[in-house]
Amino acid sequence: MFGLGMPELIIIAVIALIVVGPGKIPQLGQALGSGIRNFKKATTEDDFVQINEKAQ
């Protein structure tokens, strides 16, 4: 996983905790998860456009 081991991940987590603060970590995780979920959904959906064929 990008050459990151457990010590590096712990250091990143501590830095994120200091920068963002303990109250915002769950919101940040939720936003990140939602963004990844929406990206995956957008890349797997078929693009379908329905065109109204009636001429007015």
Side-chain angles (χ1 to χ4, degrees):
M1 187 172 96
F2 305 115
L4 294 176
M6 188 55 88
E8 290 88 0
L9 292 176
I10 292 173
I11 292 171
I12 292 170
V14 169
I15 292 171
L17 183 63
I18 292 170
V19 171
V20 177
K24 296 284 185 178
I25 293 289
Q27 294 172 356
L28 183 64
Q30 182 180 11
L32 183 62
S34 176
I36 292 171
R37 195 174 317 114
N38 288 337
F39 179 76
K40 285 183 180 179
K41 182 180 175 185
T43 58
T44 58
E45 282 184 354
D46 291 334
D47 291 333
F48 179 74
V49 178
Q50 183 176 1
I51 300 174
N52 190 1
E53 294 182 10
K54 288 185 180 181
Q56 294 181 357

